[in-house]
Amino acid sequence: MKTLKADPGAKRLIESLRNMGYDSSTAIADLVDNSITANASEIYVDILLPKGSTPAAIIIADNGDGMDREELHEAMRFGSNQEYSAGDLGKYGLGLKTASLGQCRTLTVASKAKPKRGSRPRRVYMRWDLDHVYKTDGWDLLIPSDDELQSWENEILNHLVAQDHGTIVLWTNLQETLPLLSDLDIRKQEKFLAHLIDEVSSHLRMVFHRFMQGTVTGRRKLDIHVCGEKLVPWDPFCREEKTKELDIMRLPLVCEDTDGLKVKDTITITPFILPREDEFSSTATWRDASGPRNWNQQQGFYFYRNNRLLQAGGWSRLRAVDEHTKLLRIAVDFTSNLDRAFSINITKMRSRIPPEIREEIANHVGGWAKKARERYDNAPSRSSVSSNKSSHVSIPAHKNTEQTVHKPREIRLGSVTISSNEKLGTIAVSENRKGEIIISIPRNHEFHEIFSIQNENDLRSAYVVMLLLIEAVAKKKVRVSNIPLELLKKIYRQNI
Ligand SMILES: Nc1ncnc2c1ncn2[C@@H]1O[C@H](COP(=O)(O)OP(=O)(O)OP(=O)(O)O)[C@@H](O)[C@H]1O
Ligand SMILES: [Mg+2]
């Protein structure tokens, strides 16, 4: 049969791919997928505000295997060819381009491949520039030379020189999707930046928590840093707390792969009943466990594809969100062999329960929900639970009785909550989506004395210490690990 070439129009196809439904967090997560597949152990996400002649920019850098010229050329092609190994996170050969160009108009990728057999690879750059594509309506990649890069671009991409191998993805021309990053009002810029950092961080610490915890077989433990802050993984099932794990269910399923071949694989379903508020080790951990969308919306199914979380919570139309079952979270694990059954699309943002196993799961969900409800209903009566919701400075009453010693205690100072963590460990400072700052102090720490303060003057001094601590973290002057603890302890001792 005769054939005719019918190449797609670059301008219109790219424009439609830009609207796949990514937001900044999900787009960055798509690039983190690529870094993980390339065996990275460190990923740095940086969001730069404009400064002088340097525009706003977002950078995602990794220490993965990197790419040489041919590999990068193929990687930049829409629908790039790639052989995937078991456990790899890619599928369509599109994520790098569509996720990025949904957020920016200029995507520059610089990479340096791992040396192979005595070769010393150089860093290579390639760029998709939408203004150029739209002018020519062609699929022309730009290959800037060192001289054609702006000095600030060189400065960013030069980080690869010192590295043995790795990849840097640079997004610029962000005005369309992230105009507030370049707002003329500096305060607006900074407020938006703080909000963006919060969103991106809570998304990444959730989606990649297993990789960050180092529990994925065959993968290196992953550290992700967002604007200088190392993220702490967010485990939806709070396995460090008194979570109950119910019986695991395994369901075999046959499904067609992309070549139409039948593959058989197993879906693993693990229900967890999380502790009630009064059973958590501290108020801070309970709040952190509530997750980005809060307790009620975070109940339900957690779909993991090759250990990467696709969807966090929701009942896939099997039941309705209910306050009484909010302690029930269910991990559903499958491999990329079953992508078609779970309806995985390019964005890998959501998933559905395959129709073949829907009824079987539905039969079990009722029983799991009943158990979750029993735990919820067993809560001590409201009056016996400390519920200090006041926004004033207030100290819970101290009774020197045995029973009160192990109860969670907290001090609320406006939007700052300093809570006592009955476990041993280090001080944790975190900020939730509502902008509340939570400082959790383990009982073995010297600062834990703050919980025995009896009058407000002393408390004010302690507040100063805590403010210093918060300020240091918030202004990104120091990393949490770099806080001058000795200095703070000195001030603390002088004041109390
Ligand atoms: N950070 C990186 N390090 C090394 N190689 C990378 C990196 N990012 C992308 N690549 C290469 O570029 C290819 C294309 O990436 P892209 O995200 O567009 O598609 P994919 O990951 O194969 O599939 P999907 O569309 O599902 O994301 C990858 O298959 C990989 O070979
Ligand atoms: Mg990808």
Side-chain angles (χ1 to χ4, degrees):
M1 202 184 290
K2 277 207 233 162
T3 56
L4 265 181
K5 278 257 174 271
D7 289 340
K11 181 176 169 183
R12 299 209 63 194
L13 187 62
I14 291 189
E15 194 54 35
S16 64
L17 287 173
R18 296 184 77 201
N19 294 309
M20 290 298 301
Y22 287 103
D23 59 22
S24 303
S25 307
T26 49
I28 291 173
D30 223 299
L31 301 198
V32 171
D33 282 354
N34 290 342
S35 301
I36 291 175
T37 302
N39 300 311
S41 61
E42 299 276 348
I43 297 174
Y44 292 85
V45 178
D46 276 298
I47 307 171
L48 309 183
L49 291 175
K51 197 168 161 199
S53 57
T54 309
I58 296 185
I59 302 157
I60 299 99
D62 69 48
N63 67 345
D65 296 341
M67 292 170 274
D68 60 23
R69 187 168 291 281
E70 284 92 79
E71 287 165 336
L72 179 58
H73 186 188
E74 185 57 30
M76 293 297 268
R77 228 162 55 83
F78 284 76
S80 52
N81 278 324
Q82 178 69 27
E83 288 282 314
Y84 299 109
S85 311
D88 283 356
L89 302 178
K91 180 168 182 67
Y92 293 100
L94 281 172
L96 170 64
K97 289 74 65 175
T98 49
S100 301
L101 293 171
Q103 302 300 304
C104 67
R105 289 187 72 80
T106 308
L107 158 69
T108 308
V109 183
S111 199
K112 192 171 171 189
K114 225 174 181 172
K116 289 175 205 147
R117 272 170 266 123
S119 67
R120 284 192 53 218
R122 291 158 49 91
R123 69 193 162 144
V124 283
Y125 319 114
M126 293 187 193
R127 169 177 291 173
W128 279 113
D129 182 287
L130 288 192
D131 291 336
H132 183 82
V133 171
Y134 287 15
K135 216 181 318 161
T136 58
D137 201 11
W139 298 95
D140 297 325
L141 259 180
L142 303 180
I143 310 190
S145 63
D146 284 2
D147 302 341
E148 284 165 328
L149 290 172
Q150 308 274 341
S151 58
W152 58 267
E153 289 174 316
N154 258 318
E155 208 172 297
I156 292 169
L157 303 177
N158 269 347
H159 286 288
L160 270 183
V161 177
Q163 237 173 277
D164 283 345
H165 48 85
T167 299
I168 296 181
V169 176
L170 171 63
W171 296 349
T172 44
N173 280 324
L174 299 160
Q175 308 81 301
E176 278 171 345
T177 39
L178 300 166
L180 287 174
L181 278 184
S182 311
D183 199 281
L184 292 176
D185 183 337
I186 305 284
R187 266 190 328 192
K188 267 196 194 158
Q189 276 184 15
E190 286 182 349
K191 200 167 162 205
F192 181 70
L193 176 65
H195 160 79
L196 191 59
I197 292 174
D198 183 36
E199 268 200 3
V200 170
S201 303
S202 51
H203 189 68
L204 298 182
R205 66 192 282 249
M206 173 173 82
V207 167
F208 298 105
H209 74 93
R210 289 188 181 169
F211 298 91
M212 296 165 76
Q213 288 165 319
T215 56
V216 179
T217 317
R219 293 266 173 222
R220 301 164 79 185
K221 184 173 175 301
L222 177 69
D223 284 339
I224 304 181
H225 307 254
V226 176
C227 295
E229 201 78 54
K230 184 170 147 186
L231 301 185
V232 178
W234 184 78
D235 174 9
F237 312 113
C238 304
R239 274 164 282 197
E240 306 248 292
E241 299 285 328
K242 292 176 186 148
T243 294
K244 285 185 199 140
E245 185 177 327
L246 304 183
D247 288 346
I248 296 179
M249 193 173 145
R250 291 197 172 81
L251 298 173
L253 191 71
V254 178
C255 160
E256 273 189 8
D257 68 7
T258 31
D259 299 321
L261 298 173
K262 292 225 180 306
V263 275
K264 190 174 171 193
D265 215 330
T266 304
I267 302 159
T268 308
I269 299 169
T270 321
F272 295 92
I273 301 181
L274 277 73
R276 289 185 310 269
E277 181 171 0
D278 61 290
E279 295 175 308
F280 262 84
S281 56
S282 72
T283 311
T285 44
W286 154 261
R287 286 205 186 142
D288 192 46
S290 78
R293 292 188 300 137
N294 283 332
W295 275 101
N296 277 355
Q297 300 300 325
Q298 295 280 170
Q299 65 185 286
F301 297 111
Y302 285 69
F303 291 99
Y304 290 85
R305 171 185 184 263
N306 292 346
N307 288 298
R308 190 268 208 212
L309 186 56
L310 301 177
Q311 188 178 312
W315 285 114
S316 299
R317 288 179 286 115
L318 282 184
R319 50 185 301 121
V321 163
D322 178 356
E323 162 75 17
H324 302 98
T325 54
K326 69 180 180 189
L327 303 179
L328 178 57
R329 296 180 181 175
I330 303 165
V332 179
D333 271 277
F334 63 96
T335 72
S336 42
N337 285 335
L338 299 180
D339 279 350
R340 189 157 281 184
F342 279 88
S343 301
I344 302 305
N345 74 1
I346 302 174
T347 63
K348 304 185 201 79
M349 265 156 41
R350 60 193 70 81
S351 176
R352 60 152 200 179
I353 296 179
E356 300 91 319
I357 58 165
R358 213 176 149 76
E359 197 181 329
E360 179 129 25
I361 294 184
N363 290 340
H364 284 80
V365 164
W368 299 330
K370 188 165 167 267
K371 289 200 169 103
R373 191 182 173 130
E374 277 162 14
R375 188 166 196 178
Y376 177 92
D377 285 343
N378 266 335
S381 68
R382 287 271 164 236
S383 56
S384 63
V385 179
S386 142
S387 63
N388 180 9
K389 299 270 186 272
S390 136
S391 60
H392 308 117
V393 172
S394 54
I395 312 170
H398 286 281
K399 291 188 206 122
N400 279 333
T401 62
E402 279 298 308
Q403 295 120 302
T404 55
V405 173
H406 295 296
K407 281 210 167 170
R409 288 174 297 169
E410 65 178 43
I411 299 170
R412 284 177 70 90
L413 306 151
S415 64
V416 180
T417 301
I418 305 162
S419 77
S420 159
N421 184 349
E422 291 307 316
K423 287 188 170 177
L424 305 182
T426 49
I427 290 187
V429 183
S430 62
E431 197 180 324
N432 66 19
R433 284 169 68 83
K434 290 181 219 140
E436 297 162 338
I437 294 162
I438 292 136
I439 302 172
S440 166
I441 307 180
R443 72 178 149 83
N444 62 323
H445 198 282
E446 192 180 345
F447 281 5
H448 198 266
E449 281 173 37
I450 197 168
F451 294 100
S452 47
I453 292 167
Q454 297 290 332
N455 74 56
E456 274 196 25
N457 276 340
D458 288 345
L459 188 59
R460 226 165 267 138
S461 313
Y463 193 16
V464 171
V465 179
M466 289 305 164
L467 277 181
L468 281 171
L469 189 63
I470 295 158
E471 197 179 74
V473 178
K475 287 195 171 163
K476 310 234 169 297
K477 283 193 174 159
V478 291
R479 295 180 186 192
V480 178
S481 55
N482 289 345
I483 287 171
L485 272 180
E486 284 316 313
L487 176 67
L488 292 179
K489 280 183 199 166
K490 202 168 133 200
I491 300 168
Y492 183 78
R493 281 192 216 103
Q494 279 166 0
N495 283 286
I496 295 178

